[in-house]
């Protein structure tokens, strides 16, 4: 393929034009001229630089998927575990980076040489050499490490969704390290290394492969990345057991579907780097055209999966379910990851449809088997990944394989390619299940895998991170805090209004913005009406005697204030306490909502009290201090 354009030999650039045609390897002049636009060497350098830039940019897209996974998981888990799941996603990147740099990349690619070139100690099973990238002395291959690390981080992150809300943080660190340093790199070596026994890039001195014809084709990682992550998550879910409220859907409802939608949108965007970046080149016309086709079939597969997921949800549940189409989108993207370079658009639509059906069916099956996978990581990544790997042997075409890999044979028509793909899927499942079972069940046996029932009830934010959290029982807990120069450790809840904790509780709730919490514990045992900051009173019937139960029953306060009539007995210069008409107070035994009043409501309160004070000829200084 050549690109032709006109250039001018004149000093003004307005006359004496000649036509020049440029290909990736030569310069063709169609007229007799002395102009030399570029040498073959400079064109080759430009192409190499373009390839490196393409890999770096697409790798950044893949790393951006970490944010997508974080948003999806944070929106799916309950609020009391949000901090924990976000913490794990950040740690994935950190642990994966160090582990993959020190050992993982070496076990995956070794010296990155073919057998014919002399691979050193690398063999068909595992790579060796180049530990901690010590052989990257010429600065020309670091982009390859960066690209491969982003894929490794994605594989590890998948597992966090399967064991969410009940896994010990230390156990999470251990299995993240194990996947990044051993399980995932070995699979990468088998499929993508020039010396791997399943790799289409493997050839010996005679040009022969371990597997006949083309080896196993997994262009961007339906098997290598998503099956490893999905089946690791399945073993983790089985070993750790279901959550305590697994059979009560109302108690397991996620925190925020907005975050889930944002997460899937980010993942979809990152998938273009995931699939198209796997061309590892963009400097030539053939490579960039292949990348263009890849993003097209990727989009078609995801869109088809969403449409089917929408119909499935409507037929099963009688309504359109947002989580169903979000997971269907990911299932369609996972399924097209392996065959994205070797199938046509019509095949991509079928692959996406089947991927969505497989996700829906497998999700119901594991629930019926009492396997708790909060993010449906195994149905989405594991099962859809198997389908994506097998679909290569069904829908790939000879011409597409030739363009993407350079092989021109009858592997598709003879059925050889499907056999290779099936073997690859079985090998990944066997390797991942064996190694992750050994790890997870060992951790379970020594009691190092799951948190306690009490910690699970409180939430991992409190148990693992010391983050106070407000839930329906208005419980506030914190592992430690520093007040002034002294550091103390406190544990307190809204049910504990003893004198010893009053000052600490009042200070903590004020810092957290819980300005509507009860501030007068004495009122619980007296005939006074306890006051709520902001000038609110609580009926005597809503307060339990603190001498008997040392607690205060939770209440629900009215939020609308704009229509409240002017109030008398304002706390001002007279020192009297402000009161609100009793007919405006809605008491209940339902959980307390310690929400800070909205700004508009606070301003409305202030205007009402100021008006009352002006009628009495006094200021409202003390009330302003109170509501602010």
């Amino acid at each position: 393929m050549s690109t032709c354009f006109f250039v001018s030999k004149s000093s003004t650039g307005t006359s004496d034009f000649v036509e020049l045609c440029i290909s990736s390897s030569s310069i063709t002049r169609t007229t007799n001229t002395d102009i030399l636009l570029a040498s073959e060497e400079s064109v080759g350098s430009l192409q190499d630089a373009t390839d490196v830039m393409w890999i770096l940019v697409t790798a950044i897209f893949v790393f951006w998927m970490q944010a997508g996974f974080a948003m999806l998981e944070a929106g799916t888990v309950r609020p009391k575990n949000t901090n924990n799941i976000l913490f794990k996603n950040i740690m994935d990147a950190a642990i994966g980076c160090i582990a993959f740099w020190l050992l993982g990349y070496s076990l995956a690619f070794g010296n990155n040489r073919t057998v014919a070139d002399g691979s050193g100690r690398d063999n068909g099973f595992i790579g060796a050499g180049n530990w901690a990238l010590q052989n990257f002395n010429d600065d020309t291959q670091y982009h390859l490490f960066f690209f491969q690390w982003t894929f490794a981080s994605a594989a590890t992150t998948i597992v966090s969704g399967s064991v969410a809300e009940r896994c010990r943080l230390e156990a999470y660190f251990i299995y993240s390290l194990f996947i990044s340093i051993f399980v995932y790199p070995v699979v990468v070596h088998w499929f993508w290394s020039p010396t791997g026994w399943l790799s289409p890039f493997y050839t010996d001195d005679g040009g022969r492969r371990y597997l006949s014809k083309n080896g196993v084709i997994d262009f961007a990682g339906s098997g290598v990345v998503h099956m490893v992550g999905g089946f690791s998550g399945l073993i983790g879910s089985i070993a750790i057991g279901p959550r305590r409220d697994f059979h009560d859907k109302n108690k397991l409802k996620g925190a925020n579907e907005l975050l889930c939608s944002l997460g899937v949108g980010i993942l979809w965007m990152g998938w273009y780097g995931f699939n198209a970046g796997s061309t590892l080149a963009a400097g030539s016309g053939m490579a960039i055209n292949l990348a263009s086709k890849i993003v097209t079939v990727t989009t078609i597969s995801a869109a088809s999966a969403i449409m089917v997921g929408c119909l499935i949800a409507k037929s099963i549940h009688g309504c359109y379910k947002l989580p169903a189409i979000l997971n269907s989108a990911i299932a369609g993207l996972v399924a097209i990851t392996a065959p994205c370079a070797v199938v046509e658009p019509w095949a991509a639509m079928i692959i996406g449809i089947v991927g969505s059906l497989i996700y829906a069916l497998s999700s119901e099956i594991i629930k019926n088997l009492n396997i708790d996978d909060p993010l449906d990581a195994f149905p989405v990544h594991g099962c859809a990944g198997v389908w994506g790997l097998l679909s290569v042997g069904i829908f790939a075409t000879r011409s597409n394989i030739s363009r993407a890999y350079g092989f021109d044979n009858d592997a598709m028509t003879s059925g050889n390619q499907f056999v290779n793909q099936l073997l690859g899927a079985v090998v990944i499942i066997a390797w991942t299940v064996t190694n992750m079972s050994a790890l997870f069940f060992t951790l379970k046996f020594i009691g190092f895998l799951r948190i306690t029932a009490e910690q699970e009830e409180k939430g991992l934010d409190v148990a693992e991170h010391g983050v106070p959290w407000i839930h329906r029982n208005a419980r506030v807990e914190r592992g430690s805090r520093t007040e002034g120069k002294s550091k103390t450790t406190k544990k307190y809840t809204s049910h504990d209004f003893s004198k010893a904790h009053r000052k600490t509780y009042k200070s903590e709730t004020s810092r957290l913005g819980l300005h509507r919490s009860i501030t007068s514990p004495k009122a619980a045992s007296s005939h006074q009406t306890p006051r709520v900051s902001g000038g609110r009173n609580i009926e005597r019937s809503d307060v339990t005697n603190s001498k008997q139960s040392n607690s205060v029953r939770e209440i629900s306060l009215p939020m609308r204030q704009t229509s409240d009539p002017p109030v008398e007995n304002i706390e001002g210069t007279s020192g009297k306490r402000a009161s609100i008409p009793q007919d405006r107070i809605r008491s209940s035994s339902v959980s307390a909502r310690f929400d800070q009043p909205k700004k508009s409501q606070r301003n409305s309160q202030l205007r009402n009290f100021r008006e009352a004070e002006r009628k009495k000829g006094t200021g409202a200084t003390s009330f302003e201090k109170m509501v602010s």
Side-chain angles (χ1 to χ4, degrees):
M1 178 178 178
S2 299
T3 301
C4 299
F5 54 93
F6 290 90
V7 296
S8 173
K9 296 197 304 181
S10 66
S11 58
T12 60
T14 58
S15 61
D16 199 9
F17 289 98
V18 296
E19 184 182 14
L20 296 180
C21 295
I22 301 178
S23 67
S24 61
S25 60
S26 64
I27 304 294
T28 303
R29 287 185 293 186
T30 58
T31 59
N32 188 13
T33 176
D34 293 331
I35 293 180
L36 179 62
L37 182 65
S39 65
E40 181 177 349
E41 181 181 355
S42 62
V43 171
S45 298
L46 178 61
Q47 180 176 330
D48 292 341
T50 304
D51 292 343
V52 172
M53 181 58 68
W54 171 256
I55 292 173
L56 290 176
V57 171
T58 54
I60 292 171
F61 270 69
V62 177
F63 179 69
W64 179 233
M65 292 173 69
Q66 288 291 118
F69 281 119
M71 294 300 99
L72 177 59
E73 294 176 9
T76 303
V77 301
R78 289 168 288 183
K80 61 183 178 181
N81 298 303
T82 304
N83 189 285
N84 177 261
I85 205 71
L86 294 174
F87 183 88
K88 288 178 178 178
N89 274 269
I90 295 297
M91 290 302 297
D92 277 336
I95 293 174
C97 176
I98 301 301
F100 205 66
W101 164 59
L102 291 175
L103 290 174
Y105 188 83
S106 301
L107 298 181
F109 294 99
N111 293 308
N112 205 28
R113 296 194 299 262
T114 64
V115 173
D117 293 335
S119 58
R121 291 174 294 169
D122 297 0
N123 55 54
F125 177 76
I126 200 168
N130 194 24
W131 311 110
L133 308 182
Q134 61 181 349
N135 294 346
F136 282 6
N137 297 323
D138 56 358
D139 298 340
T140 60
Q141 292 183 305
Y142 285 108
H143 60 288
L144 297 176
F145 164 78
F146 179 65
F147 186 79
Q148 294 297 337
W149 161 69
T150 59
F151 278 62
S153 295
T156 307
T157 302
I158 293 170
V159 188
S160 65
S162 296
V163 296
E165 299 196 310
R166 72 262 200 216
C167 181
R168 287 186 60 173
L169 202 55
E170 295 83 359
Y172 180 81
F173 294 157
I174 292 173
Y175 77 68
S176 295
L177 187 66
F178 187 59
I179 293 175
S180 301
I181 216 168
F182 183 64
V183 178
Y184 173 78
V186 170
V187 177
V188 170
H189 182 79
W190 292 349
F191 283 77
W192 290 342
S193 169
T195 58
W197 68 284
L198 296 173
S199 174
F201 308 107
Y202 172 87
T203 55
D204 59 16
D205 293 331
R208 295 179 296 271
R209 297 184 176 85
Y210 279 112
L211 294 183
S212 62
K213 309 293 184 183
N214 306 329
V216 180
I217 293 178
D218 185 0
F219 189 79
S222 288
V224 175
V225 178
H226 297 283
M227 282 183 62
V228 169
F231 278 89
S232 296
L234 173 66
I235 300 303
S237 298
I238 295 173
I240 201 170
R243 290 167 290 177
R244 297 176 68 246
D245 301 317
F246 176 56
H247 297 289
D248 190 343
K249 294 183 179 180
N250 294 327
K251 292 184 178 180
L252 294 181
K253 182 174 176 56
N256 195 322
E257 290 182 344
L258 173 62
L259 288 180
C260 293
S261 301
L262 176 62
V264 172
I266 294 174
L267 287 172
W268 193 343
M269 174 184 174
W271 231 284
Y272 293 127
F274 204 96
N275 288 358
S278 295
T279 60
L280 300 180
S284 66
M286 183 178 67
I288 199 63
N289 289 337
L290 178 60
S292 300
K293 184 177 182 179
I294 287 173
V295 297
T296 300
V297 298
T298 299
T299 306
I300 292 173
S301 179
S304 302
I306 290 173
M307 298 294 289
V308 173
C310 178
L311 296 176
I312 293 175
K314 179 65 174 178
S315 61
I316 294 178
H317 304 287
C319 59
Y320 300 106
K321 293 283 189 177
L322 178 62
I325 65 169
L326 295 179
N327 282 334
S328 294
I330 301 177
L333 292 166
V334 170
I336 198 62
T337 300
C340 59
V342 293
V343 297
E344 296 297 322
W346 63 267
M349 182 183 69
I350 298 176
I351 291 171
I353 290 173
V354 177
S356 181
L357 292 171
I358 289 176
Y359 149 68
L361 179 62
S362 57
S363 178
E364 291 300 320
I365 290 175
I366 66 170
K367 286 182 175 64
N368 291 333
L369 294 175
N370 203 38
I371 299 174
D372 184 12
D373 189 344
L375 271 292
D376 271 339
F378 172 67
V380 168
H381 297 276
C383 296
V386 172
W387 162 242
L389 199 61
L390 296 179
S391 67
V392 174
I394 301 173
F395 296 106
T397 65
R398 182 170 182 169
S399 60
N400 284 328
I401 293 176
S402 176
R403 181 171 65 167
Y405 288 90
F407 311 141
D408 189 9
N409 51 50
D410 63 348
M412 288 300 300
T413 56
S414 65
N416 174 264
Q417 193 62 55
F418 183 81
V419 173
N420 287 355
Q421 301 299 122
L422 180 61
L423 176 62
V426 172
V427 167
I428 291 177
I429 294 172
W431 171 258
T432 304
V433 169
T434 301
N435 284 279
M436 297 310 297
S437 295
L439 176 66
F440 277 120
F441 284 100
T442 299
L443 292 174
K444 180 180 180 179
F445 178 76
I446 64 177
F448 203 69
L449 181 59
R450 182 162 181 156
I451 59 176
T452 64
E454 180 184 359
Q455 290 174 326
E456 186 175 351
E457 177 66 23
K458 293 177 181 178
L460 285 168
D461 287 3
V462 173
E464 298 279 14
H465 306 282
V467 177
W469 177 72
I470 312 304
H471 55 78
R472 287 192 171 185
N473 292 327
R475 177 179 295 168
V476 183
E477 295 200 15
R478 185 174 179 83
S480 63
R481 65 173 269 113
T482 302
E483 292 186 346
K485 297 182 179 179
S486 62
K487 184 174 183 179
T488 59
T489 300
K490 296 288 183 183
K491 178 180 179 182
Y492 44 84
T493 70
S494 63
H495 298 282
D496 189 356
F497 282 87
S498 64
K499 292 182 180 180
H501 289 169
R502 181 179 63 180
K503 183 176 179 181
T504 306
Y505 178 84
K506 189 174 180 181
S507 172
E508 181 70 358
T509 52
S510 175
R511 187 185 71 81
L512 295 172
L514 310 178
H515 299 303
R516 294 179 63 192
S517 58
I518 299 175
T519 61
S520 181
K522 292 183 179 180
S525 60
S526 68
H527 294 286
Q528 300 177 1
T529 302
R531 179 167 56 87
V532 180
S533 42
R536 298 180 176 279
N537 291 351
I538 306 171
E539 288 186 6
R540 171 79 175 144
S541 60
D542 287 318
V543 182
T544 304
N545 194 307
S546 62
K547 293 182 179 180
Q548 297 176 357
S549 63
N550 198 28
S551 64
V552 176
R553 183 179 300 172
E554 299 155 343
I555 59 168
S556 179
L557 298 176
M559 296 300 296
R560 189 177 299 279
Q561 295 297 317
T562 54
S563 60
D564 284 349
V567 223
E568 297 182 355
N569 296 332
I570 292 85
E571 183 180 359
T573 56
S574 62
K576 295 182 179 180
R577 178 173 299 159
S579 62
I580 294 179
Q582 296 298 315
D583 60 338
R584 299 296 298 163
I585 297 179
R586 176 168 51 90
S587 61
S588 171
S589 60
V590 187
S591 304
R593 298 180 179 90
F594 287 86
D595 304 310
Q596 186 175 358
K598 294 182 179 179
K599 186 176 181 180
S600 59
Q601 296 168 343
R602 292 157 59 94
N603 291 341
S604 175
Q605 284 183 320
L606 186 57
R607 285 195 298 271
N608 289 339
F609 281 101
R610 279 177 174 170
E611 182 180 355
E613 289 293 332
R614 281 196 297 270
K615 291 180 180 179
K616 300 170 73 173
T618 61
T621 305
S622 61
F623 177 75
E624 291 181 37
K625 293 180 179 179
M626 180 174 59
V627 298
S628 61

